[in-house]
Amino acid sequence: MPELTDLEKQSLTEIPHPSLPEGSSLYGGTKVFPDYQAENGESYFTLVHGIAHESSVSFVAILQATRALRKGFESAIYFYGPGSLNCLATRGFPTTGNSAFPGEHNINNSLKTFIEEGGKVYCCRFGLSLHGAREEDLIEGVIPTHPLDVQDALIHYGRKGAIINSTYMF
């Protein structure tokens, strides 16, 4: 431990650390709304326009779509614009598949799980092209789509009466 000044020592001892022991409850656990399950034929459609690792928006959208799938909804995720980068299997450093930091592959692993469990993942080819990403770099099972499919997919799932979760990030 480095040598501390008297003021540094005083600052450290003003408030005890940690203030609560590990495992202490900070929040209540009451769930307010019912744990809805899908009724026959219901769909859940997620649009993602968020860059991987730039915020939690894309990752949380995948987790929500997976939860809907596990509740029995036909669940699909459509990545477009910069969101298309979430679908790349070529993430990693110094080589693909290696995580340069903990959680680097959270999105990849979650998408693989979503697909394995029966979810559909769509990825806009134009979104890929905007960032120099190649179609052959997509995670296995991701369905490449035409740029005009974004609107028509939204119409398709809207007409089915799907619950639509649309995330957007610049």
Side-chain angles (χ1 to χ4, degrees):
M1 182 125 180
E3 187 68 33
L4 301 178
T5 68
D6 288 340
L7 289 176
E8 290 170 332
K9 290 176 190 174
Q10 179 181 331
S11 182
L12 280 172
T13 59
E14 285 177 325
I15 303 293
H17 292 85
S19 58
L20 293 173
E22 190 173 318
S24 298
S25 291
L26 296 175
Y27 308 101
T30 303
K31 187 173 180 320
V32 176
F33 294 95
D35 184 16
Y36 290 107
Q37 302 298 310
E39 295 179 8
N40 190 28
E42 284 189 310
S43 300
Y44 186 94
F45 185 59
T46 301
L47 289 163
V48 179
H49 188 280
I51 301 171
H53 307 296
E54 294 297 320
S55 78
S56 62
V57 173
S58 298
F59 184 51
V60 170
I62 296 165
L63 297 178
Q64 289 177 331
T66 302
R67 184 165 186 252
L69 181 66
R70 290 174 180 168
K71 287 172 165 283
F73 288 89
E74 173 198 330
S75 190
I77 308 171
Y78 199 117
F79 293 92
Y80 69 109
S84 299
L85 298 176
N86 289 282
C87 298
L88 297 178
T90 53
R91 191 168 286 112
F93 186 83
T95 59
T96 58
N98 288 316
S99 293
F101 58 89
E104 182 176 357
H105 287 89
N106 283 352
I107 289 173
N108 295 62
N109 295 336
S110 295
L111 283 176
K112 289 175 187 176
T113 297
F114 181 75
I115 292 167
E116 287 169 6
E117 292 185 14
K120 289 184 180 178
V121 177
Y122 301 100
C123 181
C124 180
R125 289 177 171 120
F126 184 67
L128 290 172
S129 75
L130 289 172
H131 304 284
R134 303 173 316 163
E135 191 171 317
E136 57 263 40
D137 294 333
L138 292 173
I139 293 168
E140 188 175 355
V142 172
I143 303 163
T145 55
H146 189 277
L148 297 178
D149 280 328
V150 176
Q151 184 181 47
D152 289 319
L154 189 56
I155 293 168
H156 172 80
Y157 280 96
R159 285 185 174 170
K160 289 177 71 148
I163 295 163
I164 298 175
N165 178 24
S166 182
T167 67
Y168 194 91
M169 184 186 110
F170 286 98

